[in-house]
């Protein structure tokens, strides 16, 4: 989406966001919102939110877990 964002942003994922969320949950991480629940045309869309309460270490852990989920 071309509009500016505040804390939430949407990504197009190379795998099903619901599958990614299941893999993340196995590591104790709550994933993003699969946008296909809102609009079926956004089947690869994943809504994420990052705020000032997330530490750099938590964000790095999340990114590493997403990479593992995509393997």
């Amino acid at each position: 989406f071309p509009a500016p964002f505040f804390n939430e942003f949407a990504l197009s994922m190379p795998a099903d966001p619901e599958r990614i969320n299941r893999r993340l949950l196995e590591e104790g991480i709550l994933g993003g919102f699969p946008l296909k629940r809102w609009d079926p045309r956004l089947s690869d869309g994943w809504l994420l939110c990052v705020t000032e309460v997330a530490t750099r270490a938590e964000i790095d852990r999340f990114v590493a877990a997403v990479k593992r989920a995509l393997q």
Side-chain angles (χ1 to χ4, degrees), residues 21-51:
N21 283 346
R22 285 190 297 274
R23 300 277 308 269
L24 292 176
L25 200 53
E26 292 171 3
E27 297 192 41
I29 298 172
L30 185 61
F33 179 79
L35 290 174
K36 68 181 174 185
R37 292 181 184 179
W38 177 63
D39 185 335
R41 295 173 295 176
L42 301 172
S43 62
D44 64 347
W46 202 32
L47 186 67
L48 298 175
C49 180
V50 178
T51 68

Side-chain angles (χ1 to χ4, degrees), residues 7-9 11 14 17 19 28 35 45 52-53 56-57 59 62 64:
N7 292 330
E8 296 174 345
F9 55 96
L11 297 174
R19 178 182 158 270
L35 290 174
E52 69 280 355
V53 299
R56 176 64 188 248
I59 294 169
F62 176 79

